[in-house]
PDB file of all heavy atoms in Angstrom:
ATOM      1  N   GLY A  37       7.433   3.194  11.783  1.00 94.00           N
ATOM      2  CA  GLY A  37       7.871   1.955  11.234  1.00 94.00           C
ATOM      3  C   GLY A  37       9.262   1.695  11.395  1.00 94.00           C
ATOM      4  O   GLY A  37       9.857   0.836  10.811  1.00 94.00           O
ATOM      5  N   HIS A  38       9.911   2.476  12.237  1.00 95.00           N
ATOM      6  CA  HIS A  38      11.363   2.468  12.507  1.00 95.00           C
ATOM      7  C   HIS A  38      11.780   1.051  12.844  1.00 95.00           C
ATOM      8  O   HIS A  38      12.819   0.554  12.353  1.00 95.00           O
ATOM      9  CB  HIS A  38      11.699   3.401  13.560  1.00 95.00           C
ATOM     10  CG  HIS A  38      13.111   3.667  13.843  1.00 95.00           C
ATOM     11  ND1 HIS A  38      13.924   4.432  13.093  1.00 95.00           N
ATOM     12  CD2 HIS A  38      13.924   3.186  14.949  1.00 95.00           C
ATOM     13  CE1 HIS A  38      15.186   4.422  13.565  1.00 95.00           C
ATOM     14  NE2 HIS A  38      15.217   3.596  14.654  1.00 95.00           N
ATOM     15  N   GLY A  39      11.063   0.359  13.735  1.00 94.00           N
ATOM     16  CA  GLY A  39      11.442  -0.941  14.217  1.00 94.00           C
ATOM     17  C   GLY A  39      11.370  -1.937  13.098  1.00 94.00           C
ATOM     18  O   GLY A  39      12.308  -2.793  12.970  1.00 94.00           O
ATOM     19  N   GLN A  40      10.437  -1.813  12.247  1.00 96.00           N
ATOM     20  CA  GLN A  40      10.309  -2.766  11.155  1.00 96.00           C
ATOM     21  C   GLN A  40      11.385  -2.446  10.013  1.00 96.00           C
ATOM     22  O   GLN A  40      11.824  -3.402   9.331  1.00 96.00           O
ATOM     23  CB  GLN A  40       8.927  -2.713  10.537  1.00 96.00           C
ATOM     24  CG  GLN A  40       7.910  -3.504  11.292  1.00 96.00           C
ATOM     25  CD  GLN A  40       7.603  -2.874  12.647  1.00 96.00           C
ATOM     26  OE1 GLN A  40       7.487  -1.668  12.689  1.00 96.00           O
ATOM     27  NE2 GLN A  40       7.505  -3.644  13.703  1.00 96.00           N
ATOM     28  N   MET A  41      11.736  -1.208  10.046  1.00 96.00           N
ATOM     29  CA  MET A  41      12.920  -0.953   9.065  1.00 96.00           C
ATOM     30  C   MET A  41      14.172  -1.499   9.553  1.00 96.00           C
ATOM     31  O   MET A  41      15.045  -2.006   8.814  1.00 96.00           O
ATOM     32  CB  MET A  41      12.997   0.553   8.830  1.00 96.00           C
ATOM     33  CG  MET A  41      11.970   1.089   7.864  1.00 96.00           C
ATOM     34  SD  MET A  41      11.809   2.849   7.800  1.00 96.00           S
ATOM     35  CE  MET A  41      12.763   3.341   6.431  1.00 96.00           C
ATOM     36  N   TYR A  42      14.324  -1.448  10.899  1.00 96.00           N
ATOM     37  CA  TYR A  42      15.475  -2.225  11.489  1.00 96.00           C
ATOM     38  C   TYR A  42      15.486  -3.665  11.144  1.00 96.00           C
ATOM     39  O   TYR A  42      16.513  -4.244  10.744  1.00 96.00           O
ATOM     40  CB  TYR A  42      15.462  -1.991  12.999  1.00 96.00           C
ATOM     41  CG  TYR A  42      16.404  -2.800  13.813  1.00 96.00           C
ATOM     42  CD1 TYR A  42      17.781  -2.184  14.016  1.00 96.00           C
ATOM     43  CD2 TYR A  42      16.189  -4.048  14.312  1.00 96.00           C
ATOM     44  CE1 TYR A  42      18.657  -2.904  14.685  1.00 96.00           C
ATOM     45  CE2 TYR A  42      17.197  -4.763  14.990  1.00 96.00           C
ATOM     46  CZ  TYR A  42      18.424  -4.162  15.215  1.00 96.00           C
ATOM     47  OH  TYR A  42      19.356  -4.870  15.893  1.00 96.00           O
ATOM     48  N   MET A  43      14.323  -4.287  11.237  1.00 96.00           N
ATOM     49  CA  MET A  43      14.116  -5.693  10.983  1.00 96.00           C
ATOM     50  C   MET A  43      14.465  -6.011   9.547  1.00 96.00           C
ATOM     51  O   MET A  43      15.254  -6.998   9.212  1.00 96.00           O
ATOM     52  CB  MET A  43      12.737  -6.111  11.242  1.00 96.00           C
ATOM     53  CG  MET A  43      12.279  -7.532  10.987  1.00 96.00           C
ATOM     54  SD  MET A  43      11.616  -7.779   9.390  1.00 96.00           S
ATOM     55  CE  MET A  43      10.097  -6.883   9.418  1.00 96.00           C
ATOM     56  N   ILE A  44      14.022  -5.191   8.542  1.00 96.00           N
ATOM     57  CA  ILE A  44      14.336  -5.346   7.170  1.00 96.00           C
ATOM     58  C   ILE A  44      15.785  -5.248   6.891  1.00 96.00           C
ATOM     59  O   ILE A  44      16.430  -6.031   6.165  1.00 96.00           O
ATOM     60  CB  ILE A  44      13.569  -4.317   6.287  1.00 96.00           C
ATOM     61  CG1 ILE A  44      12.043  -4.620   6.349  1.00 96.00           C
ATOM     62  CG2 ILE A  44      14.080  -4.317   4.893  1.00 96.00           C
ATOM     63  CD1 ILE A  44      11.588  -5.767   5.548  1.00 96.00           C
ATOM     64  N   GLY A  45      16.421  -4.216   7.568  1.00 96.00           N
ATOM     65  CA  GLY A  45      17.787  -4.045   7.429  1.00 96.00           C
ATOM     66  C   GLY A  45      18.614  -5.197   7.876  1.00 96.00           C
ATOM     67  O   GLY A  45      19.539  -5.699   7.217  1.00 96.00           O
ATOM     68  N   ALA A  46      18.264  -5.844   9.021  1.00 96.00           N
ATOM     69  CA  ALA A  46      18.864  -7.059   9.538  1.00 96.00           C
ATOM     70  C   ALA A  46      18.741  -8.198   8.550  1.00 96.00           C
ATOM     71  O   ALA A  46      19.712  -8.904   8.262  1.00 96.00           O
ATOM     72  CB  ALA A  46      18.240  -7.495  10.876  1.00 96.00           C
ATOM     73  N   PHE A  47      17.540  -8.336   8.012  1.00 96.00           N
ATOM     74  CA  PHE A  47      17.260  -9.394   7.058  1.00 96.00           C
ATOM     75  C   PHE A  47      18.019  -9.293   5.796  1.00 96.00           C
ATOM     76  O   PHE A  47      18.534 -10.207   5.234  1.00 96.00           O
ATOM     77  CB  PHE A  47      15.804  -9.593   6.768  1.00 96.00           C
ATOM     78  CG  PHE A  47      15.137 -10.635   7.605  1.00 96.00           C
ATOM     79  CD1 PHE A  47      14.210 -10.322   8.570  1.00 96.00           C
ATOM     80  CD2 PHE A  47      15.397 -11.980   7.434  1.00 96.00           C
ATOM     81  CE1 PHE A  47      13.634 -11.220   9.384  1.00 96.00           C
ATOM     82  CE2 PHE A  47      14.804 -12.916   8.257  1.00 96.00           C
ATOM     83  CZ  PHE A  47      13.895 -12.598   9.208  1.00 96.00           C
ATOM     84  N   MET A  48      18.184  -7.968   5.332  1.00 96.00           N
ATOM     85  CA  MET A  48      18.898  -7.755   4.083  1.00 96.00           C
ATOM     86  C   MET A  48      20.305  -8.079   4.266  1.00 96.00           C
ATOM     87  O   MET A  48      20.980  -8.682   3.363  1.00 96.00           O
ATOM     88  CB  MET A  48      18.761  -6.244   3.689  1.00 96.00           C
ATOM     89  CG  MET A  48      17.385  -5.811   3.095  1.00 96.00           C
ATOM     90  SD  MET A  48      16.795  -6.949   1.860  1.00 96.00           S
ATOM     91  CE  MET A  48      17.754  -6.442   0.518  1.00 96.00           C
ATOM     92  N   ALA A  49      20.956  -7.788   5.411  1.00 96.00           N
ATOM     93  CA  ALA A  49      22.329  -8.088   5.710  1.00 96.00           C
ATOM     94  C   ALA A  49      22.477  -9.607   5.717  1.00 96.00           C
ATOM     95  O   ALA A  49      23.551 -10.083   5.226  1.00 96.00           O
ATOM     96  CB  ALA A  49      22.810  -7.477   6.965  1.00 96.00           C
ATOM     97  N   TRP A  50      21.530 -10.262   6.438  1.00 95.00           N
ATOM     98  CA  TRP A  50      21.642 -11.725   6.473  1.00 95.00           C
ATOM     99  C   TRP A  50      21.537 -12.380   5.064  1.00 95.00           C
ATOM    100  O   TRP A  50      22.346 -13.275   4.727  1.00 95.00           O
ATOM    101  CB  TRP A  50      20.524 -12.297   7.372  1.00 95.00           C
ATOM    102  CG  TRP A  50      20.353 -13.722   7.263  1.00 95.00           C
ATOM    103  CD1 TRP A  50      21.066 -14.749   7.783  1.00 95.00           C
ATOM    104  CD2 TRP A  50      19.333 -14.394   6.440  1.00 95.00           C
ATOM    105  NE1 TRP A  50      20.646 -15.968   7.454  1.00 95.00           N
ATOM    106  CE2 TRP A  50      19.631 -15.755   6.594  1.00 95.00           C
ATOM    107  CE3 TRP A  50      18.299 -13.960   5.597  1.00 95.00           C
ATOM    108  CZ2 TRP A  50      18.781 -16.738   5.912  1.00 95.00           C
ATOM    109  CZ3 TRP A  50      17.563 -14.917   4.976  1.00 95.00           C
ATOM    110  CH2 TRP A  50      17.781 -16.271   5.114  1.00 95.00           C
ATOM    111  N   TRP A  51      20.583 -11.829   4.312  1.00 95.00           N
ATOM    112  CA  TRP A  51      20.225 -12.410   2.955  1.00 95.00           C
ATOM    113  C   TRP A  51      21.572 -12.178   2.096  1.00 95.00           C
ATOM    114  O   TRP A  51      21.895 -13.083   1.323  1.00 95.00           O
ATOM    115  CB  TRP A  51      19.068 -11.655   2.370  1.00 95.00           C
ATOM    116  CG  TRP A  51      18.742 -12.076   0.980  1.00 95.00           C
ATOM    117  CD1 TRP A  51      18.182 -13.226   0.554  1.00 95.00           C
ATOM    118  CD2 TRP A  51      18.959 -11.196  -0.190  1.00 95.00           C
ATOM    119  NE1 TRP A  51      18.061 -13.165  -0.866  1.00 95.00           N
ATOM    120  CE2 TRP A  51      18.446 -11.899  -1.220  1.00 95.00           C
ATOM    121  CE3 TRP A  51      19.470  -9.937  -0.444  1.00 95.00           C
ATOM    122  CZ2 TRP A  51      18.438 -11.422  -2.515  1.00 95.00           C
ATOM    123  CZ3 TRP A  51      19.482  -9.413  -1.706  1.00 95.00           C
ATOM    124  CH2 TRP A  51      19.010 -10.134  -2.754  1.00 95.00           C
ATOM    125  N   ALA A  52      22.162 -11.064   2.225  1.00 95.00           N
ATOM    126  CA  ALA A  52      23.397 -10.806   1.419  1.00 95.00           C
ATOM    127  C   ALA A  52      24.546 -11.709   1.781  1.00 95.00           C
ATOM    128  O   ALA A  52      25.304 -12.158   0.949  1.00 95.00           O
ATOM    129  CB  ALA A  52      23.779  -9.361   1.421  1.00 95.00           C
ATOM    130  N   THR A  53      24.652 -12.041   3.049  1.00 93.00           N
ATOM    131  CA  THR A  53      25.773 -12.873   3.511  1.00 93.00           C
ATOM    132  C   THR A  53      25.449 -14.328   3.375  1.00 93.00           C
ATOM    133  O   THR A  53      26.209 -15.049   2.674  1.00 93.00           O
ATOM    134  CB  THR A  53      26.174 -12.584   4.924  1.00 93.00           C
ATOM    135  OG1 THR A  53      25.020 -12.688   5.769  1.00 93.00           O
ATOM    136  CG2 THR A  53      26.904 -11.340   5.224  1.00 93.00           C
ATOM    137  N   ALA A  54      24.400 -14.820   3.910  1.00 88.00           N
ATOM    138  CA  ALA A  54      24.190 -16.271   3.942  1.00 88.00           C
ATOM    139  C   ALA A  54      23.668 -16.827   2.566  1.00 88.00           C
ATOM    140  O   ALA A  54      24.514 -17.620   1.992  1.00 88.00           O
ATOM    141  CB  ALA A  54      23.253 -16.689   5.091  1.00 88.00           C
ATOM    142  N   PRO A  55      22.558 -16.492   2.060  1.00 88.00           N
ATOM    143  CA  PRO A  55      22.076 -17.101   0.842  1.00 88.00           C
ATOM    144  C   PRO A  55      22.946 -16.562  -0.359  1.00 88.00           C
ATOM    145  O   PRO A  55      23.298 -17.343  -1.245  1.00 88.00           O
ATOM    146  CB  PRO A  55      20.652 -16.723   0.635  1.00 88.00           C
ATOM    147  CG  PRO A  55      20.189 -16.199   1.927  1.00 88.00           C
ATOM    148  CD  PRO A  55      21.402 -15.720   2.642  1.00 88.00           C
ATOM    149  N   LEU A  56      23.339 -15.280  -0.355  1.00 91.00           N
ATOM    150  CA  LEU A  56      24.066 -14.805  -1.585  1.00 91.00           C
ATOM    151  C   LEU A  56      25.595 -14.984  -1.489  1.00 91.00           C
ATOM    152  O   LEU A  56      26.261 -14.942  -2.427  1.00 91.00           O
ATOM    153  CB  LEU A  56      23.808 -13.297  -1.754  1.00 91.00           C
ATOM    154  CG  LEU A  56      22.425 -12.921  -2.243  1.00 91.00           C
ATOM    155  CD1 LEU A  56      22.371 -11.506  -2.657  1.00 91.00           C
ATOM    156  CD2 LEU A  56      21.998 -13.762  -3.458  1.00 91.00           C
ATOM    157  N   GLY A  57      26.092 -15.146  -0.197  1.00 90.00           N
ATOM    158  CA  GLY A  57      27.487 -15.373  -0.001  1.00 90.00           C
ATOM    159  C   GLY A  57      28.363 -14.192  -0.237  1.00 90.00           C
ATOM    160  O   GLY A  57      29.630 -14.338  -0.456  1.00 90.00           O
ATOM    161  N   LEU A  58      27.792 -12.948  -0.155  1.00 93.00           N
ATOM    162  CA  LEU A  58      28.679 -11.791  -0.294  1.00 93.00           C
ATOM    163  C   LEU A  58      29.495 -11.546   0.954  1.00 93.00           C
ATOM    164  O   LEU A  58      29.057 -11.961   2.058  1.00 93.00           O
ATOM    165  CB  LEU A  58      27.748 -10.603  -0.549  1.00 93.00           C
ATOM    166  CG  LEU A  58      27.046 -10.572  -1.874  1.00 93.00           C
ATOM    167  CD1 LEU A  58      25.969  -9.543  -1.946  1.00 93.00           C
ATOM    168  CD2 LEU A  58      27.920 -10.546  -3.069  1.00 93.00           C
ATOM    169  N   PRO A  59      30.621 -10.947   0.852  1.00 94.00           N
ATOM    170  CA  PRO A  59      31.402 -10.653   2.065  1.00 94.00           C
ATOM    171  C   PRO A  59      30.630  -9.588   2.947  1.00 94.00           C
ATOM    172  O   PRO A  59      29.819  -8.803   2.443  1.00 94.00           O
ATOM    173  CB  PRO A  59      32.669 -10.070   1.567  1.00 94.00           C
ATOM    174  CG  PRO A  59      32.443  -9.701   0.093  1.00 94.00           C
ATOM    175  CD  PRO A  59      31.346 -10.590  -0.386  1.00 94.00           C
ATOM    176  N   TYR A  60      30.858  -9.642   4.299  1.00 94.00           N
ATOM    177  CA  TYR A  60      30.093  -8.890   5.228  1.00 94.00           C
ATOM    178  C   TYR A  60      30.048  -7.353   4.962  1.00 94.00           C
ATOM    179  O   TYR A  60      29.072  -6.759   4.998  1.00 94.00           O
ATOM    180  CB  TYR A  60      30.597  -9.179   6.593  1.00 94.00           C
ATOM    181  CG  TYR A  60      29.939  -8.286   7.723  1.00 94.00           C
ATOM    182  CD1 TYR A  60      28.506  -8.320   7.862  1.00 94.00           C
ATOM    183  CD2 TYR A  60      30.633  -7.684   8.595  1.00 94.00           C
ATOM    184  CE1 TYR A  60      27.881  -7.603   8.829  1.00 94.00           C
ATOM    185  CE2 TYR A  60      30.061  -6.888   9.638  1.00 94.00           C
ATOM    186  CZ  TYR A  60      28.636  -6.936   9.702  1.00 94.00           C
ATOM    187  OH  TYR A  60      27.948  -6.147  10.714  1.00 94.00           O
ATOM    188  N   PRO A  61      31.283  -6.751   4.539  1.00 94.00           N
ATOM    189  CA  PRO A  61      31.222  -5.324   4.276  1.00 94.00           C
ATOM    190  C   PRO A  61      30.277  -4.945   3.191  1.00 94.00           C
ATOM    191  O   PRO A  61      29.582  -3.931   3.179  1.00 94.00           O
ATOM    192  CB  PRO A  61      32.673  -4.976   3.967  1.00 94.00           C
ATOM    193  CG  PRO A  61      33.500  -6.026   4.593  1.00 94.00           C
ATOM    194  CD  PRO A  61      32.651  -7.304   4.519  1.00 94.00           C
ATOM    195  N   VAL A  62      30.218  -5.844   2.136  1.00 96.00           N
ATOM    196  CA  VAL A  62      29.334  -5.595   1.108  1.00 96.00           C
ATOM    197  C   VAL A  62      27.883  -5.772   1.429  1.00 96.00           C
ATOM    198  O   VAL A  62      26.990  -4.971   1.098  1.00 96.00           O
ATOM    199  CB  VAL A  62      29.587  -6.599  -0.085  1.00 96.00           C
ATOM    200  CG1 VAL A  62      28.674  -6.390  -1.275  1.00 96.00           C
ATOM    201  CG2 VAL A  62      31.087  -6.485  -0.572  1.00 96.00           C
TER     202      VAL A  62
END
Side-chain angles (χ1 to χ4, degrees):
Chain A
H38 188 77
Q40 281 68 43
M41 280 166 100
Y42 174 89
M43 179 268 293
I44 294 284
F47 264 110
M48 287 311 286
W50 166 80
W51 175 73
T53 50
L56 288 192
L58 294 172
Y60 179 54
V62 181

